[in-house]
Amino acid sequence: MAGEGRPDVQQHGGDIGALMGSCPLPLPEYQEIVLAHGSGGKLSQQLIRSMLFPEFQNEFLNVAHDGAIFTVNGTRLAFSTDSFVVNPIFFPGGDIGKLAIYGTVNDLAMCGARPLYLSTGFILEEGLPMQEFWAVVNSMRTAAATAGVDLVTGDTKVVDRGKADKIFINTSGIGIVPIGVNICPERARAGDKVIVSGEIAVHGIAIMSVREGLEFETEVSSDTAPLSDLVSVILGVADIHVLRDPTRGGVTSALTEIAQSARVGIFLDEARIPISEEVKGACEILGLDPLYVANEGKLLAIVADDESAPVLSAMRGHPLGRNAAIIGIVTDEHPGLVTMKTRIGGTRVVDMLSGEQLPRIC
Amino acid sequence: MAGEGRPDVQQHGGDIGALMGSCPLPLPEYQEIVLAHGSGGKLSQQLIRSMLFPEFQNEFLNVAHDGAIFTVNGTRLAFSTDSFVVNPIFFPGGDIGKLAIYGTVNDLAMCGARPLYLSTGFILEEGLPMQEFWAVVNSMRTAAATAGVDLVTGDTKVVDRGKADKIFINTSGIGIVPIGVNICPERARAGDKVIVSGEIAVHGIAIMSVREGLEFETEVSSDTAPLSDLVSVILGVADIHVLRDPTRGGVTSALTEIAQSARVGIFLDEARIPISEEVKGACEILGLDPLYVANEGKLLAIVADDESAPVLSAMRGHPLGRNAAIIGIVTDEHPGLVTMKTRIGGTRVVDMLSGEQLPRIC
């Protein structure tokens, strides 16, 4: 099996040849991993759909969901994992530790679960200043307390200098899905309303402003926040169909995944999408479309038309949902696509992110 | 708070100063992360005990356990996490993907749990050959099927070239702890026997032989294997007190942690510790003490004296326990220490690994 093009590691006695013998590469157009495979957009989805899902096939995997839901002795549990590689590790409004706690808390919340327990896996680069590690650990402690979760197990690895970038953190988490809650992307149906919990594109711009050294009149701080309390509030007033936090790939990538899963169309009204002037200005300077920019403390909820008013009102009564807005509807037209009435009155398809706009945003 | 010695990232508006204001650094002797902080030995333990545990304090954390155990609606669940950074990613007998699956399966098994569901978080370096990624993914699929677990949720991040080393994998897992099973390090008590399931130091030597380009008459292949079935067999014949897989830091680091947790002494008989001639020879060439070398498919079991014979016999009847042996006893003497009768008849303390012998072994 040692044909040309095989990685040279084979000569070390590893069994890469045997591993690949019966499995031709499913993505012949990419011979290497590129940054866009981590974008949260098209290439991420392609990698997951063509390489990971067919391999790990089981009833719990769902490409368009932030976690798995399964039943253990009659209790429905949600289980989710996320690795954080954000650069820089400290940024306005947060740091990699806070992001790692809230990120997994939010993934569980997007399953409709009440987050309970988190694990944390550190990969540290040799030479990381201990003070920076300590600051990250402190931030995680505070974030876990704020979100009401316990960090119950962990792991620490160290790699040689130059083989990582300061610190990478994986958090995985477990939560309980309350009886009667049934959140899943396939439940989006024609007539449903799409609600966003607040102003979009804030986290991505906060990171980019640090990286690019931009200065705004008002500093843009990351919106990273635990959404579990907001979720429990809206679950109390309505049968929420779909929840999603539009992180990597932004609002459009998240909604496109939902449209594809539920085989529905989603029609947005650009004028209704909340966005701050600072973020809008920064997007213009950087040439970014805010619909593709990552959020960390916002959620999208899809609910039946007649429940949209109470959900919107409940969101607006919560500190993390004060600027919530109905931004679109689910339709039977153009299944699998997100279309948008633009500010100037036209209609366009807003596709998934196809390249990599902002590497290492989370 | 912007005193000298603060990381310069503060000027970007990150809140590192605020994060650290009230929290002086608990490990003043190390200003930077060093490789030994990931060794599984003394410095790893110091980092965890002084920095992580006080911060994340809760009833489920246990420094000497491979996972957390908690009860959800009457069901006892085990939850564990591990990141894998092994170098090279393909080696005799396995690869990083197989290691990642079996590693977390084994951590759950060491809690006495039946492993059920795993998550996987990939951190990929830009430029990773797609064929190598595909080989790892295939290996994970095979390993999950062998271990009888489902990979139910995942995450993929990509970092720029030179900011990681090919591929890092985190796996976290959930299992059910059967009723009546009560494995924990504190249960080791004077008179108990210490059993190892087979020949030690194999994994570490397999990795080192690749790195150092050593050639032996017989290739040393990693012993990586899922131990959950072996565990369920021995749980069927006895009330096992403690289980531990002696990975990073080897047999002595694992036993020292147990001795410290249970405030007992452990007395080993070197002549009874199974080790193959190849591994013994390689350890001599490399100047390594096999008691500190990582294992991936071996377990240590501590059981009451009168149950040690049936446990040993059950182990030997299992393919992964054919060379099992009773290697020591738990004593009241020298609490917190592991001592050993050497082959030549003396007695010595076998302390935890204090430096970093084999970085990135798993």
Side-chain angles (χ1 to χ4, degrees), chain A residues 81-86 89 95-101 104 119-124 133 136-137 140 151 155 165-172 362, chain B residues 83 123 155 157 170:
Chain A
T81 193
D82 229 333
S83 296
F84 295 83
V85 298
V86 66
I89 62 172
D95 59 87
I96 191 170
K98 189 174 177 182
L99 213 58
I101 299 294
T104 290
S119 67
T120 176
F122 294 107
I123 297 175
L124 307 178
F133 182 51
V136 168
V137 168
M140 293 178 81
L151 276 163
D155 176 59
D165 194 7
K166 290 195 164 189
I167 177 167
F168 300 146
I169 305 178
N170 177 283
T171 48
S172 302
C362 62
Chain B
S83 295
I123 297 175
D155 176 59
K157 294 289 190 305
N170 176 283

Side-chain angles (χ1 to χ4, degrees), chain A residues 22-37:
Chain A
S22 60
C23 301
L25 203 58
L27 280 175
E29 60 274 43
Y30 285 92
Q31 292 297 317
E32 286 188 351
I33 291 289
V34 298
L35 280 172
H37 284 123

Side-chain angles (χ1 to χ4, degrees), chain A residues 5-7 9 12-16 19-20 23-27 30-35 37-38 47-48 50-52 55-56 58 60-62 66-68 70-73 75 77 79-85 88 90-95 98 116-141 150-165 168 170 172-174 176 210 219 248 360 362, chain B residues 5-7 9 12-16 19-20 23-27 30-35 37-38 47-48 50-52 55-56 58 60-62 66-68 70-73 75 77 79-85 88 90-95 98 116-141 150-165 168 170 172-174 176 210 219 248 360 362:
Chain A
R6 295 284 189 214
V9 70
H12 298 307
D15 48 5
I16 182 169
L19 287 171
M20 302 198 309
C23 301
L25 203 58
L27 280 175
Y30 285 92
Q31 292 297 317
E32 286 188 351
I33 291 289
V34 298
L35 280 172
H37 284 123
L47 189 78
I48 294 168
S50 66
M51 290 186 74
L52 303 180
E55 291 297 284
F56 300 144
N58 59 62
F60 310 105
L61 272 175
N62 187 333
D66 289 312
F70 45 79
T71 302
V72 174
N73 289 350
T75 301
L77 296 175
F79 181 29
S80 187
T81 193
D82 229 333
S83 296
F84 295 83
V85 298
F90 298 97
F91 48 80
D95 59 87
K98 189 174 177 182
L116 291 177
Y117 302 115
L118 261 54
S119 67
T120 176
F122 294 107
I123 297 175
L124 307 178
E125 184 191 8
E126 180 189 16
L128 172 70
M130 200 60 96
Q131 287 201 315
E132 297 193 28
F133 182 51
W134 184 228
V136 168
V137 168
N138 271 286
S139 174
M140 293 178 81
R141 172 179 52 77
D150 283 323
L151 276 163
V152 296
T153 188
D155 176 59
T156 305
K157 294 290 191 304
V158 181
V159 298
D160 22 333
R161 208 180 286 264
K163 298 299 186 185
D165 194 7
F168 300 146
N170 177 283
S172 302
I174 296 175
I176 294 186
V210 179
E219 185 183 71
R248 274 185 298 174
R360 298 181 59 191
C362 62
Chain B
R6 296 285 189 212
V9 70
H12 297 308
D15 48 5
I16 183 171
L19 287 170
M20 300 198 309
C23 301
L25 204 58
L27 279 175
Y30 285 94
Q31 293 298 317
E32 285 188 352
I33 291 289
V34 299
L35 280 172
H37 282 123
L47 188 78
I48 293 168
S50 65
M51 291 187 74
L52 303 180
E55 291 296 285
F56 301 144
N58 59 62
F60 311 106
L61 272 175
N62 186 333
D66 288 314
F70 45 79
T71 302
V72 173
N73 289 351
T75 302
L77 296 175
F79 181 30
S80 187
T81 194
D82 228 334
S83 295
F84 296 84
V85 298
F90 298 96
F91 48 81
D95 60 86
K98 190 174 177 180
L116 292 177
Y117 302 116
L118 261 54
S119 68
T120 175
F122 294 108
I123 297 175
L124 307 178
E125 184 192 8
E126 180 188 18
L128 172 71
M130 199 61 95
Q131 286 200 318
E132 297 193 27
F133 182 51
W134 184 228
V136 169
V137 167
N138 270 285
S139 174
M140 292 178 82
R141 171 178 53 76
D150 283 322
L151 276 163
V152 296
T153 189
D155 176 59
T156 305
K157 294 289 190 305
V158 181
V159 298
D160 20 334
R161 208 179 288 264
K163 298 298 184 184
D165 194 9
F168 300 147
N170 176 283
S172 301
I174 296 174
I176 293 185
V210 179
E219 183 183 71
R248 274 185 297 175
R360 298 180 60 190
C362 63

